[in-house]
Amino acid sequence: MRFALWPQAKSRVERATGTSQDRLVTELRFASTGSSSEAKEVLQDFLTKINLRFAVASEHPETACRPVPA
């Protein structure tokens, strides 16, 4: 696992998160959601679209977790 240890990488993550959050609010407005169940449906569709657009398969699909020492 790689962590963002320098400010430039952290700002990219923060910018992406902010963009997603802003876009979700817009999607909810466009859908004219009036209840939490409608909002959940919009959220599920939103997450599916985001994942299709930005998901990348892992180079190493095996687990990165190490066993806990005894």
Side-chain angles (χ1 to χ4, degrees):
M1 178 180 288
R2 294 184 184 184
F3 296 99
L5 300 176
W6 54 93
Q8 294 85 351
K10 289 181 182 179
S11 66
R12 286 184 207 132
V13 170
E14 293 297 327
R15 188 170 45 248
T17 302
T19 300
S20 294
Q21 289 176 347
D22 289 345
R23 187 68 201 157
L24 179 57
V25 172
T26 304
E27 292 286 333
L28 290 169
R29 279 196 196 124
F30 283 148
S32 301
T33 56
S35 67
S36 61
S37 61
E38 291 173 346
K40 287 179 185 178
E41 289 177 22
V42 171
L43 175 61
Q44 191 61 43
D45 291 342
F46 177 76
L47 291 175
T48 301
K49 288 177 192 175
I50 291 291
N51 285 335
L52 286 173
R53 184 170 179 187
F54 295 108
V56 177
S58 174
E59 285 182 22
H60 308 285
E62 66 277 354
T63 182
C65 298
R66 290 181 253 163
V68 178

